[in-house]
Amino acid sequence: MAYTKKIEIQHYTESQDEIGNDGMLWAVLIRAWAKIEENASGKEYYEAAQTNSENDVVFKIRYTKALENKLTSELRISYRGALYDIKSIGGLAERAPELTIRTVLLNGGVR
């Protein structure tokens, strides 16, 4: 399978507005071509007597140093207008040729 889907990996970072006020925002860390495995392990669970659906998606990209020393809690993926919370990045420590990024669709994909 080829890397045919364009994704953005974003990181939460400090910034300043035009008058110098400090703030936090999501900025693009890298843009990459990816392979996608949708509903890799989608699951349903019961919480507070209601059913919730959690959509897991696995993105696979070529290795990049840009992700080294980054906390997954400060990263997310933007793909086709939807946002995905990064849960883990496999292969980074071994510098594998391909990284496996496990994600969960955020808020139904709403920005």
Side-chain angles (χ1 to χ4, degrees), residues 56-73:
D56 294 348
V57 178
V58 175
F59 294 88
K60 294 186 177 188
I61 64 170
R62 290 182 180 92
Y63 174 83
T64 175
K65 283 185 106 171
L67 295 178
E68 287 183 6
N69 302 317
K70 298 289 183 186
L71 299 173
T72 56
S73 62

Side-chain angles (χ1 to χ4, degrees), residues 14-28:
E14 288 186 29
S15 68
Q16 286 190 339
D17 63 16
E18 56 277 352
I19 59 172
N21 294 322
D22 290 331
M24 299 294 285
L25 64 85
W26 288 98
V28 175

